[in-house]
Amino acid sequence: MIPNLNLVPFVSVDHMMKLVLHIGVERFLSELAGYVEDDFRRWPAFDKTPRVASHSAEGVIELMPTSDGEVYGFKYVNGHPKNTREGRQTVTAFGVLSDVANGYPVLMSEMTILTALRTAATSAVAARYLAPQGADCMAIIGNGAQSEFQAMAFKALLGIRKLRLFDIDPQATQKCMKNLHGLGFEITACTSTEQAVEGAHIITTVTADKQCATILTDNMVGAGVHINAVGGDCPGKTELHHDILLRSDIFVEYPPQTRIEGEIQQLPADHPVIELWEVMTGQVSGRRDPRQITLFDSVGFAIEDFSALRYVRDQLRSVGLYQNLDMLADPDEPRDLFGMILRAQAAQTPPVAVGG
Amino acid sequence: MIPNLNLVPFVSVDHMMKLVLHIGVERFLSELAGYVEDDFRRWPAFDKTPRVASHSAEGVIELMPTSDGEVYGFKYVNGHPKNTREGRQTVTAFGVLSDVANGYPVLMSEMTILTALRTAATSAVAARYLAPQGADCMAIIGNGAQSEFQAMAFKALLGIRKLRLFDIDPQATQKCMKNLHGLGFEITACTSTEQAVEGAHIITTVTADKQCATILTDNMVGAGVHINAVGGDCPGKTELHHDILLRSDIFVEYPPQTRIEGEIQQLPADHPVIELWEVMTGQVSGRRDPRQITLFDSVGFAIEDFSALRYVRDQLRSVGLYQNLDMLADPDEPRDLFGMILRAQAAQTPPVAVGG
C-alpha cells in the first residue's frame, strides 16, 4: 500500500496569497515566466485542443485541458462581465494537475489569482522577444484587475519602470496607482488613450467590455511599438482597430483558438500569423526591425495554466502552503469500494452524529 | 456584499460515505434514480457533448461537461485498468456544479463512490422500463467494484432478491457475497457464466478488462431476457457477442458517444438504436413483448453525473456533511485583485511563519 492515496494537495486562495507573498510578487512572476517559456519551447510535445466552452446569455464557463504525456492539467474558468455588479469577480478559476500514468490528481489549486499571474507572465515573456530594444515606458489602457499584474511582470522581466495609465473610469486608475505606489514605478495618470500612448514603447490593452470596442485607433500607434493586446479574448470581444492589425506582425499562442477569440477574428482566416513558440525556439524571428509594429494577440492558452500549476506544485514541498483534501476513494482492496462503505458503517460505534 | 463568496462546499470521500450511510444505501439509490429519471425526461434541455478524452498508453483522463441552462456540471474521471496492481482504483472521479448565471461553483464533490452509485441507479431506472414483468432473478457477471451497487439498485428499484454471481476470479465473487450478506438477498455463487445466467431474467455484465471480450455468447441469452451491459464502455472494450446485438432491441444514453464506446461499436454506424430518454417520456415503447430481448448498452453519460451532483447538493443543507473550501478569490472590490494580495501582506504583522 502506498500511504494516503486518498489525499490531494489543495492550494486555497489564502494559501496562494501567502505563497505569492512568501516568494515575492516579482520573483514569482519571473520564475513562473521561466516555466511558461520552458513549456512554449517544447510546444509540439503537448496535446492541444481549443477550450471546451459552455456559453450562456450571461457569460461562459470553460474547461481548458492539456497534457505533455506525463502530466495532465486542466483549468475551469468562467467569464461573466456583469458579475462585478453584485460584488463577484468577472473571472474565477481553479485547476488540477494529474499523473498521466495512473490518472490520479496530484494538485488542485485556486486559479483566479494564479491566472492573473500567468497572463501577466506570458505577456512579459512574449515582450522579451517582441518589444523594442531599450523599452522603458509602457501604457496600460484599462486599469482593472489585471493591470497591476501586467505592470509587475513587465518590471520583473523587462525592467519597465515608467507607466502611463488610462481607464474610462478614473477610479480604476487611482486604484492601480495606489496599489503600485512604492513598488518602484514612475506613474503618469492620463485622461485619454491618446495621452497615455504618447512616448510609450509598449502599449498594453486590458479592458473588460464583452463587445467589439476600439480602444486603440490606427493613428495612435507609431512605428516601433509593441502592442500587448490582452483584453480581446472571446468571440465578439476585440480592442484594436482593424487597420492596426494590417500594419502589425501578429504573434499568437495557438492559432485555432486565437482566430476565434483574439483580435484576428477581425481578419480573414488565412491572414498570416506567427506562433510564439516558434519565436522562442528560434525557428522564426521575433522583432527584426526597430520600426516594426509587433502585436501579441493574447487570449490565454491551456499550456500557460499547465505551466502555472507545475510551478505551484514545485513550490509546495519546501513551502508547505496547502491542505490535503480527502478526494479519492482508497479502499484497502481496489475492487472493494462497497466494502469500504460497510467498514465506515462498522466504524460508526457509537453512531456518528450527522446533523447539520 | 454577499457573505462568503469565496467558499465552495466540498464533499470528501469520508463525507460521501457518511452521507450514503445517513440516508441509507437503498434510499440513496432510489432517490438518486428519481433525479436521473427527471433529467432524462427533460433530455432536450441539456447541452450535450461527447466526453473530452485524453488517451495514453496506460489509460484515459476525461472531462464530462453538461448544462441545462441554469446549472452547469462536469466530472473529471480517469480509467486506468492496471492501477489495481499498485493498490489504486481503476476509476476515480470528482465533479463540480456551477451557477450558469455567474459561473461560480456551488459544489465540489468526490465522485468515485458517487459514480458507482449513479451507474447502478441508471441501470436500474433503465431496467424498470425494459426488464420483463415479474423479474426477480439477476445474474451478475463480473463481481468487482460495481457489482454490489448494481445489486442494491436492482433490489431498491425492482425488488430483485435472487442473485447469481460469477467472476473468473472466485475471490471477487466471495467478496461480493460477503458484502451483500444480511442485506436481503438470496445469492448463488456460480462457477461459469453459463451457470449464472440459468433462470435469470436480467443479466448484468460488469467486467473490467480493457479489451474486446466475449463475456456472453449468443447461446446463453434466451428469449425475454433484459441485458444490462455495463462493462463495455470505451473504444476496444466490449463484452457481448456480436450476434446477441442483432437479436436485441438496443437502448442507449447518447448515441454519438455510445457508438464509439458501447457494445454497438461492433455494429454499423446506422444500426438502429433507441434513446432511453424517449422511452422515459413515452415517445417510444420500452419492452413490448415478453419474448423480446432488451439490451441497455450503458456507457455512462454526463447528464447522469449532473443528476448525481444535483442530488448531493440538495442533501447538504439538511445533512451538513461537507466542508467549505476557500476556492474563489473574493476581493472587497472585484477589480482590485492585486489590492487583495497587498492587504493580505499588511495583515501579516508579525509576518506569518510560512515554513513547511
Side-chain angles (χ1 to χ4, degrees):
Chain A
M1 284 289 295
I2 307 164
N4 300 330
L5 277 180
N6 61 316
L7 300 179
V8 178
F10 167 64
V11 179
S12 68
V13 173
D14 187 55
H15 278 147
M16 183 62 75
M17 291 197 291
K18 289 190 170 126
L19 182 65
V20 171
L21 292 169
H22 174 74
I23 293 172
V25 177
E26 288 192 58
R27 188 179 135 210
F28 192 111
L29 285 161
S30 294
E31 292 178 352
L32 170 52
Y35 276 65
V36 170
E37 193 163 354
D38 284 348
D39 287 340
F40 269 78
R41 287 183 181 205
R42 61 193 185 102
W43 195 260
F46 284 90
D47 265 351
K48 288 172 285 290
T49 177
R51 56 185 108 204
V52 182
S54 178
H55 290 278
S56 64
E58 298 87 2
V60 64
I61 297 175
E62 299 171 334
L63 300 174
M64 300 169 68
T66 191
S67 165
D68 68 3
E70 295 192 357
V71 178
Y72 169 93
F74 82 91
K75 180 168 80 170
Y76 168 105
V77 58
N78 75 292
H80 286 72
K82 293 175 191 161
N83 266 6
T84 53
R85 293 184 196 167
E86 36 185 43
R88 287 189 171 83
Q89 290 289 109
T90 300
V91 173
T92 67
F94 66 89
V96 170
L97 276 188
S98 301
D99 185 340
V100 168
N102 56 43
Y104 271 45
V106 296
L107 172 69
M108 173 169 298
S109 176
E110 87 82 34
M111 289 192 77
T112 311
I113 295 169
L114 192 57
T115 296
L117 289 157
R118 74 84 160 131
T119 300
T122 304
S123 282
V125 169
R128 272 214 299 228
Y129 290 90
L130 303 177
Q133 283 272 328
D136 72 345
C137 178
M138 177 161 82
I140 305 181
I141 314 302
N143 303 153
Q146 173 64 202
S147 59
E148 299 96 336
F149 294 96
Q150 289 282 336
M152 294 299 284
F154 278 76
K155 174 159 178 273
L157 273 83
L158 287 94
I160 297 290
R161 283 188 159 65
K162 293 183 192 163
L163 299 178
R164 300 178 67 79
L165 307 183
F166 174 68
D167 196 292
I168 50 172
D169 177 359
Q171 290 188 324
T173 305
Q174 288 307 311
K175 173 224 59 161
C176 184
M177 285 185 77
K178 181 169 158 246
N179 282 336
L180 295 176
H181 180 76
L183 295 175
F185 293 101
E186 180 186 316
I187 304 179
T188 307
C190 302
T191 55
S192 68
T193 301
E194 288 83 345
Q195 186 194 349
V197 302
E198 267 173 38
H201 309 111
I202 299 170
I203 303 173
T204 290
T205 58
V206 59
T207 61
D209 266 346
K210 192 179 177 174
Q211 59 188 27
C212 288
T214 305
I215 309 301
L216 280 187
T217 53
D218 194 33
N219 62 308
M220 297 181 199
V221 179
V225 158
H226 172 61
I227 304 171
N228 173 41
V230 178
D233 62 355
C234 68
K237 180 160 180 277
T238 59
E239 294 181 316
L240 307 186
H241 190 279
H242 173 268
D243 291 349
I244 298 174
L245 305 181
L246 301 181
R247 289 164 61 210
S248 305
D249 286 315
I250 302 172
F251 299 82
V252 303
E253 291 142 315
Y254 181 59
Q257 184 175 298
T258 311
R259 296 219 184 257
I260 296 168
E261 301 176 356
E263 296 298 329
I264 58 171
Q265 65 186 274
Q266 305 181 57
L267 298 180
D270 61 351
H271 189 91
V273 297
I274 301 159
E275 293 190 52
L276 198 55
W277 71 271
E278 294 184 298
V279 177
M280 294 191 191
T281 55
Q283 295 170 258
V284 178
S285 299
R287 173 166 290 272
R288 289 169 284 99
D289 175 341
R291 294 190 54 80
Q292 181 186 9
I293 298 172
T294 51
L295 165 62
F296 175 39
D297 187 2
S298 165
V299 297
F301 188 59
I303 293 174
E304 297 150 30
D305 301 309
F306 180 93
S307 310
L309 288 168
R310 279 206 307 119
Y311 175 66
V312 168
R313 181 198 58 186
D314 290 353
Q315 309 314 309
L316 291 192
R317 198 164 301 174
S318 59
V319 180
L321 289 163
Y322 64 92
Q323 67 191 95
N324 280 315
L325 293 189
D326 167 33
M327 206 164 111
L328 304 175
D330 180 32
D332 298 334
E333 149 63 86
R335 290 181 307 187
D336 198 11
L337 194 60
F338 193 81
M340 186 175 72
I341 299 175
L342 295 179
R343 283 187 292 280
Q345 183 171 36
Q348 289 184 4
T349 41
V352 168
V354 285
Chain B
M1 283 288 297
I2 307 163
N4 299 330
L5 278 180
N6 61 315
L7 299 179
V8 178
F10 167 63
V11 179
S12 67
V13 173
D14 187 55
H15 277 147
M16 183 62 74
M17 291 196 291
K18 290 188 170 128
L19 182 65
V20 171
L21 292 169
H22 173 74
I23 294 171
V25 176
E26 287 190 59
R27 187 178 135 212
F28 191 111
L29 284 161
S30 294
E31 292 179 352
L32 171 53
Y35 276 65
V36 170
E37 192 163 354
D38 284 348
D39 286 339
F40 269 78
R41 286 179 182 213
R42 59 193 186 103
W43 195 259
F46 284 90
D47 264 352
K48 289 173 283 291
T49 177
R51 54 186 109 204
V52 182
S54 177
H55 290 278
S56 63
E58 299 86 3
V60 63
I61 297 175
E62 299 171 335
L63 299 174
M64 299 168 69
T66 191
S67 166
D68 68 2
E70 295 192 357
V71 178
Y72 169 94
F74 82 90
K75 179 167 80 169
Y76 169 105
V77 57
N78 75 292
H80 286 72
K82 291 175 192 161
N83 266 6
T84 53
R85 291 185 197 167
E86 36 185 42
R88 288 189 170 84
Q89 291 288 108
T90 300
V91 173
T92 67
F94 66 90
V96 170
L97 276 189
S98 301
D99 185 342
V100 167
N102 57 41
Y104 271 44
V106 296
L107 172 69
M108 173 169 299
S109 178
E110 88 79 36
M111 289 192 78
T112 311
I113 295 169
L114 191 57
T115 296
L117 290 158
R118 74 83 160 132
T119 299
T122 304
S123 282
V125 168
R128 272 213 300 228
Y129 291 89
L130 303 177
Q133 284 273 328
D136 72 345
C137 178
M138 176 160 82
I140 304 181
I141 315 302
N143 303 152
Q146 173 63 204
S147 58
E148 299 96 338
F149 294 96
Q150 289 283 335
M152 295 299 284
F154 278 75
K155 174 161 178 271
L157 274 82
L158 287 93
I160 297 290
R161 282 186 159 67
K162 293 184 192 163
L163 299 178
R164 301 179 65 80
L165 307 182
F166 174 67
D167 196 293
I168 50 171
D169 177 359
Q171 290 189 324
T173 305
Q174 289 307 310
K175 173 224 59 160
C176 183
M177 285 185 77
K178 182 170 157 244
N179 282 335
L180 295 177
H181 180 76
L183 295 176
F185 293 101
E186 180 186 316
I187 304 178
T188 308
C190 302
T191 55
S192 68
T193 301
E194 287 83 347
Q195 187 194 349
V197 302
E198 266 173 38
H201 308 112
I202 299 170
I203 303 173
T204 290
T205 57
V206 59
T207 61
D209 266 346
K210 191 178 179 176
Q211 59 189 28
C212 289
T214 305
I215 308 301
L216 280 187
T217 53
D218 195 32
N219 62 308
M220 297 181 199
V221 178
V225 159
H226 173 59
I227 304 171
N228 173 40
V230 178
D233 63 356
C234 67
K237 181 162 180 276
T238 59
E239 294 182 315
L240 307 186
H241 191 279
H242 172 268
D243 290 351
I244 298 174
L245 305 182
L246 301 182
R247 290 165 61 211
S248 305
D249 287 315
I250 303 173
F251 299 82
V252 304
E253 292 141 317
Y254 181 58
Q257 183 174 300
T258 311
R259 296 218 185 258
I260 296 168
E261 301 174 356
E263 296 298 328
I264 58 171
Q265 66 187 275
Q266 305 180 56
L267 298 180
D270 60 352
H271 188 92
V273 297
I274 301 159
E275 294 191 51
L276 199 54
W277 74 271
E278 294 184 297
V279 177
M280 294 190 191
T281 55
Q283 295 170 258
V284 178
S285 300
R287 174 166 290 271
R288 289 169 283 101
D289 174 341
R291 294 192 53 78
Q292 181 186 10
I293 299 172
T294 52
L295 166 61
F296 175 39
D297 187 2
S298 164
V299 297
F301 188 59
I303 293 175
E304 297 150 30
D305 301 309
F306 180 92
S307 311
L309 289 168
R310 281 206 305 120
Y311 175 65
V312 168
R313 181 199 59 186
D314 289 353
Q315 309 315 308
L316 292 192
R317 198 166 301 174
S318 59
V319 180
L321 289 163
Y322 64 92
Q323 66 192 97
N324 281 315
L325 293 188
D326 168 32
M327 207 164 109
L328 304 175
D330 179 32
D332 299 334
E333 149 56 283
R335 291 181 305 186
D336 198 11
L337 194 60
F338 192 81
M340 185 175 74
I341 299 175
L342 295 179
R343 283 187 293 280
Q345 184 171 37
Q348 289 184 3
T349 43
V352 167
V354 285

